[in-house]
Structure formats: C-alpha cells, structure tokens
Amino acid sequence: MTSQVSSTAEQADGALVGEQRTSGDGGPGKEVRRLDRVIIRFAGDSGDGMQLTGDRFTSETASFGNDLSTLPNFPAEIRAPAGTLPGVSSFQLHFADHDILTPGDAPNVLVAMNPAALKANIGDVPRGAEIIVNTDEFTKRPMAKVGYDSNPLEDGSLSAYHVHPVPLTTLTIEALKDFGLSRKEAERSKNMFALGLLSWMYHRPTEGTEKFLRAKFAKKPDIAEANVTAFRAGWNFGETTEDFATSYEVAPATTAFPTGTYRNISGNLALAYGLIAASEQADLPLYLGSYPITPASDILHELSRHKNFGVRTFQAEDEIAGIGAALGAAFGGSLAVTTTSGPGVALKSETIGLAVSLELPLLIVDIQRGGPSTGLPTKTEQADLLQAMYGRNGEAPVPIVAPRTPADCFDAALDAARIALTYRTPVFLLSDGYLANGSEPWRIPEVDELPDLRVRFAGAPNHELADGTEVFWPYKRDPETLARPWAVPGTPGLEHRIGGIEKQDGTGNISYDPANHDFMVRTRQAKVDGIDVPDVEVDDPTDAVDGTGGRGADTLVLGWGSTYGPITAAVRRVRGAGQRIAQAHLRHLNPFPGNLGEVLARYDKVVVPEMNLGQLATLLRARYLVDARSHTQVSGMPFKAEQLAQVLKEAIND
C-alpha cells in the first residue's frame, strides 16, 4: 500500500513487533495472543486445493480489514506427480494491522499436507515457527518418495519448531461419515478442515466462506454441505483440542488505508478492470485479441464476462492472429488490447512494428514470466524489458508502462490507454507473474476520479492542396503530440491507405524516398520521446536535515515494476537501523521521466535491484552515464526484504 505509515509500521515486513498477551475468548481456558502481523503458508500436493484454501483465507482477512499481500506458488504442470517435490503447491499470505508491502520473507506458520510439502518448504521456516502437519500422509511410501529415511515427526529433526501433528484426513472423514461419500470424495474436503482450523487460530470470519462454498457447489448441494461441515469441524477442533492452547488476534489496519470502499484484488483482475474503465472513459468499445498463455490468461477469462460493458473478446488460434485482430480493431476505432507473456511477445513483434508504422493505439499487455523460450510458466521474472524496448526490426519505438503492485495494475492500465490514445501508438504494459497472481486491498475509485480519455476521430478533410481542393491527409500531425488523425473506416471523404511499407509524410502514400524515411523514423521517435510523463518522485526523508535543503543520503535505490514492495520494505529496515538511503521507483520506462538524469546525478551511489541480469541498469548506464550498480535475481521468485536490506547496507557502507 502507498499510504503514510507510523514509526511502528516502519518495521513492517521485518520481525514481529508490538506483541501483547491477553486472555479471554479463545475458547475454554485458552489464551488469546495479540500480534501486529502474521505470515501463513499453506502447502500441499497440487491436487490438495491449497490455492483455493489460500484464496478463501485471504478473502476473509480482507473483509476483516487487515492489510495483506499474497504469494501463490504452483507447478507449471497441469497435474504433477502426486506426492513429489515438483508437485508441491503453496500459498503464502502476510496480513497485518498496519501498512505492509510484501508477502513476507518467511512464514510464521506452515501448514504441510504431506511429506513433500514439508520438505519443499521447511528451508524457509524460521526456528520457533509453528508447523501444522497432516500426520495421515506420513507413511513409509510418501516419505520415501521425497527422500525421508525416517519420519521427521518422530526423529527430532523438527525440534526447533512448534509442531502440531493433526490427522487431517482421518478427522475429515470422521466428520463427513454421515454424508455417504466415498473415502476419496471425503478426503477432498481436508483442505476445508485445515482452513477452519486456521480460521479459528486467527479469529477469521466464517460466514463468507460458508456462503462461497454453497455457491461454488450449488449444483451439488451434498458436496457443498460436506465442505461446510468439514470447515466447521476444523474450527471446532481448534476450539476443543488441547494441542492448540493459544489463538491469535491481528486487529484491522484502521490507520493504513485512506477513507473509502475496499476489496481484495489480484493484479490480473485489477488490470482487467482498468481496461474496462479506460474503455468507458474513452467512450470506445474494448476489443481483446488474445491467445491463452500463463500467466496472462486470467485477463482474457475476466474480460469475457463483461459483454455488458461493450467488451468483445476473441480467443485466436495463435499469438499472431490475436494481435492481428486487435490491430484491425484499432483501425476500426476500438480501444484494442492484446495480452500475452514473453514467448507470445516474440511472436507478436512484427505486428507491433506494423502498429508503430500505422501509428494506431494498441495496448500490448505482457505478464512476464521466467524465460527464455517456454521457461518457467508459473514463476515470475522481469526479463522482458529489453525485448519490449528493442525487440522489433528497424527503429520501432514503443512506450513502456510498468505497475508496481497488484492494485496499481488498475491505474497503470488507465495510464497506458491514455498514452496510446493521445499519441496514436502501441504501448507496452509490463506486469509479471508476481503481480498477476498476488493480491492486496484496493480502494475502489469514484468515477469522477478517473481521467477523461475521450478522443476525437477525424470527421472532415484536414488539408488544402495548391488548387484549393480539400483532402484528408492521414499523417498530418498534431503540433503538440505529433499524433496523426484517427479516421474510422467508412467515414466519407477520409479514405486512406494502410500497410507496412514506409509512408510519405502527410499523405500516407507509399514512399521509398531516403529523406522521407529518415524524417518519418525521426518523427516517430520524437513522438515517443515527447510523451508527457510525470517526474519521478524521490523519497529521501533526510533531504532537509541540515536545514539548507541539501540531500542527506548518498545512496539511491531505484527500481521498476513489482520490485516496489520488497525494495520499500528493505528501505524501511535500513532506515530503522539508523542509516540514510533514498528511494525512487519508475512506472515509465520509455520515455524515462524528464528529471531522471538530474535525480541520478544527485547521488554518489545508485543501486538497481531487478529480477533479471541488469536490464534497467544497462539502459541507465547507456543513457545517463551513471555507474548504476545491479543487484539481480532470476530464481523465479520475488526478492526477500531482508536480503535486499543487507545489499543496501553494504552499498551504503562501501
């Protein structure tokens, strides 16, 4: 979240702080402990419903009023081998009574549904954390499958943790014995038993989950009631068992949010809503030409549900057809969008170049994932920046916009649409898997807060020939934006040619003239260079420490895209340790903000953390001749705040 925080919240994403002990309504004779934040990770086989469990816990946490951040993590295979390490699926949720920024570095609570889930995640669990394990799965064969020579629940290897052995499968089957379900059918509800137990432990609301289950299984009421029963059984187990002597309270984050109506939202959902809002604000129909690809497919799925807003979605036979249809829709006067990931961008590159030549508005949404080639479909990365910047033949400049949080995807979509419509250009919107699948609270904006994106189509001839004849020139430019007029096909008197061959300035006729080509190339570049983007803001709280307005920090950490949360959490830790550091974050990567060069020159050291091998740092070095220091990671996972904090401390002291 981007709201101001108190000094206590400066420790957010760090160690637990502000803990109090109370007693009372935790059940008969049970203690209730108040915490300021908790990190929970649900982990199990990819068929155990961990993503659903995490989603439901997140929804109830959001309705309770906590700030939160999530990290779903699942295999790329549709159904990885059961009980194996590659088949482990997890969902991490960080929630707090104050402003937080990341899903957290390490879980305070791990729920492990089988030996594979335990082994795959135990390395992230700090000493003293709580581990809830499904003991029914810790039999000889499942343990041998993941390399356990002995039972870790019995051999002392988990002595550093607070382990809660719970026979989740047995308890679930017993709770559902009156439903007449087969053992396999009953076992499927063990995730709801676990959800009920955790809901009791952390005083989460239950009504929403019960309503959700009845709606989800409306066509199978017996299955719906079985899941509700399992959920309630998990809650009651926590209430009555002696093994769970303590429950926990995390108060609502009443000071973290500005006044307004909030909902929990993922990055892809926020982006889809942003596109719809842009369409409404532009008074243009929204057209999506897309081919399904992880992790962008959810945008196609969501937009297909909103025909009532004039949204038209086209699931094409391939990536090239998807963007070709979208560009045709742009020619026809629609707000055109194509969604994909890095491999799809490679296939779309020629049509993106065609959009540059035609100078038509087109949004290319790239939800980045690990590469190269097919790479890591369900993991995150920021390695498409140079592809978006230069990945086309010829001089084909394209503006680039990158959201920084899941909720910010809404605003970034509106910003990208503004640029595309105002300057008649394709625009890259670079999100990634971390933002796409992660979620956080989002304040639903009022309609009057949204920008006016309405455009004026060409409606009459715009040029007079020497003989006095009035004609339409499709490449006669707006003197301020250098945008060409947008003429809807079929408008009388505005007939004009399109195609990928170079255009003659003004007329749009085919031209092979060297001087004209040079002029058109430079004009298209100048149009992008002249795009109005706000100055980059620098968070340097020591700026006026000496009363003279001089800077206090010598080191600036500069990021882009989804690194915002981990970087900001790391900066809070560094400042909490008494060291000075400044922070800035880029949304606009082409063109860069006009004051970026001046900002970089103010600091002796510039550190650029990226989930790639230093692509932004390379651009900064080339453009501004600064010694930008890269800190890179390409593990398929987001940065951890503590790791970044150590890197920043070392940079400051270097």
Side-chain angles (χ1 to χ4, degrees):
M1 304 295 294
T2 58
S3 58
Q4 298 296 315
V5 294
S6 65
S7 58
T8 300
E10 288 295 316
Q11 300 182 61
D13 305 285
L16 288 172
V17 296
E19 181 180 291
Q20 294 180 324
R21 290 175 178 268
T22 64
S23 60
D25 56 359
K30 295 198 174 187
E31 178 186 42
V32 179
R33 184 177 298 178
R34 183 167 296 166
L35 302 174
D36 72 336
R37 69 178 192 92
V38 174
I39 304 170
I40 298 175
R41 183 181 297 177
F42 298 94
D45 192 71
S46 57
D48 285 338
M50 293 297 93
Q51 303 305 317
L52 175 62
T53 305
D55 281 339
R56 288 314 313 160
F57 197 94
T58 298
S59 294
E60 298 299 356
T61 297
S63 68
F64 188 72
N66 296 119
D67 195 8
L68 61 89
S69 180
T70 69
L71 178 63
N73 186 18
F74 40 87
E77 292 80 6
I78 293 175
R79 187 65 174 92
T84 64
L85 294 176
V88 173
S89 176
S90 67
F91 189 105
Q92 183 162 304
L93 166 68
H94 183 190
F95 61 101
D97 65 2
H98 54 263
D99 172 52
I100 59 173
L101 298 153
T102 76
D105 287 357
N108 309 117
V109 181
L110 171 66
V111 180
M113 303 297 282
N114 59 20
L118 178 64
K119 189 161 191 177
N121 291 279
I122 192 63
D124 293 336
V125 182
R127 297 172 65 88
E130 294 190 80
I131 301 176
I132 300 171
V133 292
N134 180 14
T135 56
D136 289 325
E137 293 295 323
F138 280 75
T139 57
K140 186 174 182 179
R141 184 178 179 185
M143 289 190 295
K145 191 179 292 187
V146 295
Y148 279 128
D149 296 325
S150 60
N151 191 334
L153 306 182
E154 300 172 354
D155 62 11
S157 60
L158 300 179
S159 59
Y161 310 97
H162 297 294
V163 179
H164 301 277
V166 180
L168 288 172
T169 305
T170 298
L171 291 172
T172 302
I173 293 173
E174 178 65 20
L176 303 182
K177 63 182 180 181
D178 295 333
F179 281 82
L181 302 175
S182 67
R183 179 182 177 88
K184 186 175 182 179
E185 289 174 326
E187 282 183 7
R188 290 174 180 165
S189 297
K190 64 180 180 290
N191 63 325
M192 288 298 105
F193 188 101
L195 178 60
L197 173 58
L198 268 293
S199 297
W200 172 83
M201 284 182 65
Y202 292 98
H203 297 249
R204 299 297 91 185
T206 60
E207 294 81 2
T209 293
E210 294 188 11
K211 183 178 179 181
F212 166 83
L213 291 170
R214 291 190 172 99
K216 181 177 177 62
F217 299 105
K219 295 182 179 180
K220 298 180 179 180
D222 289 346
I223 298 298
E225 290 308 312
N227 277 280
V228 170
T229 300
F231 176 68
R232 291 176 176 175
W235 176 282
N236 293 333
F237 178 77
E239 182 87 355
T240 57
T241 184
E242 295 182 1
D243 190 40
F244 291 90
T246 304
S247 65
Y248 303 91
E249 285 185 347
V250 180
T254 54
T255 62
F257 308 121
T259 302
T261 302
Y262 287 79
R263 60 155 294 166
N264 180 49
I265 200 164
S266 68
N268 272 351
L269 183 58
L271 203 155
Y273 286 176
L275 293 173
I276 295 172
S279 170
E280 290 291 303
Q281 292 303 105
D283 196 22
L284 296 175
L286 179 63
Y287 184 95
L288 174 67
S290 183
Y291 179 76
I293 183 172
T294 302
S297 299
D298 286 341
I299 303 172
L300 170 62
H301 301 160
E302 182 61 33
L303 289 179
S304 68
R305 299 186 177 105
H306 296 285
K307 296 180 178 64
N308 56 311
F309 286 108
V311 178
R312 179 172 295 179
T313 54
F314 170 53
Q315 180 175 319
E317 65 269 28
D318 56 41
E319 296 280 7
I320 299 171
I323 190 173
L327 185 56
F331 179 62
S334 294
L335 176 59
V337 184
T338 189
T339 53
T340 190
S341 187
V345 173
L347 294 167
K348 296 178 188 291
S349 61
E350 184 178 9
T351 307
I352 297 171
L354 177 60
V356 171
S357 176
L358 298 181
E359 300 188 45
L360 286 170
L362 173 67
L363 301 184
I364 306 112
V365 178
D366 178 4
I367 312 298
Q368 300 166 96
R369 72 190 204 189
S373 189
T374 307
L376 307 172
T378 60
K379 309 303 179 183
T380 193
E381 208 164 274
Q382 286 183 301
D384 294 352
L385 176 56
L386 293 183
Q387 182 185 32
M389 186 76 78
Y390 300 121
R392 292 163 296 283
N393 65 297
E395 296 288 347
V398 176
I400 302 172
V401 176
R404 64 184 187 177
T405 67
D408 189 47
C409 289
F410 178 87
D411 295 317
L414 284 164
D415 199 12
R418 171 190 69 85
I419 294 172
L421 294 171
T422 302
Y423 296 90
R424 311 288 196 267
T425 178
V427 177
F428 263 105
L429 183 56
L430 288 186
S431 179
D432 60 44
Y434 172 39
L435 296 184
N437 297 315
S439 59
E440 66 175 351
W442 172 58
R443 187 183 72 84
I444 302 172
E446 300 294 333
V447 174
D448 58 11
E449 297 174 6
L450 302 179
D452 185 351
L453 301 179
R454 287 174 294 181
V455 298
R456 180 178 296 177
F457 290 111
N462 60 2
H463 184 76
E464 185 175 316
L465 299 178
D467 62 2
T469 304
E470 291 187 338
V471 296
F472 174 66
W473 276 15
Y475 284 85
K476 189 166 187 175
R477 301 182 181 279
D478 183 299
E480 293 185 5
T481 64
L482 298 182
R484 77 174 186 87
W486 192 3
V488 176
T491 305
L494 304 191
E495 297 84 358
H496 59 284
R497 296 181 177 89
I498 63 169
I501 301 297
E502 183 62 281
K503 310 293 183 294
Q504 183 183 51
D505 178 41
T507 69
N509 295 331
I510 293 173
S511 174
Y512 293 97
D513 178 69
N516 179 79
H517 176 59
D518 185 275
F519 178 80
M520 293 296 282
V521 166
R522 294 181 187 277
T523 300
R524 288 188 289 262
Q525 183 65 57
K527 181 173 68 171
V528 172
D529 291 342
I531 290 172
D532 180 25
V533 301
D535 284 347
V536 62
E537 296 182 0
V538 181
D539 175 16
D540 189 346
T542 58
D543 235 353
V545 165
D546 59 5
T548 65
R551 81 170 191 274
D554 293 317
T555 303
L556 171 72
V557 55
L558 179 68
W560 69 278
S562 67
T563 56
Y564 172 78
I567 288 175
T568 307
V571 166
R572 289 180 178 179
R573 295 187 184 205
V574 171
R575 292 174 180 169
Q579 293 182 285
R580 296 178 174 183
I581 191 167
Q583 179 189 0
H585 207 79
L586 296 176
R587 167 179 281 181
H588 298 96
L589 297 149
N590 192 32
F592 286 128
N595 69 330
L596 181 57
E598 179 271 328
V599 167
L600 296 174
R602 282 163 44 194
Y603 294 91
D604 296 335
K605 305 166 189 175
V606 178
V607 182
V608 185
E610 298 180 77
M611 293 189 294
N612 56 48
L613 295 182
Q615 296 186 14
L616 175 59
T618 297
L619 294 172
L620 296 175
R621 292 188 190 110
R623 176 73 179 271
Y624 300 106
L625 302 180
V626 297
D627 184 21
R629 306 184 182 190
S630 280
H631 176 68
T632 63
Q633 174 177 301
V634 282
S635 63
M637 297 292 288
F639 285 111
K640 292 184 177 180
E642 182 58 31
Q643 292 174 342
L644 278 181
Q646 292 303 317
V647 169
L648 298 181
K649 290 175 183 177
E650 292 171 4
I652 293 170
N653 297 326
D654 185 3

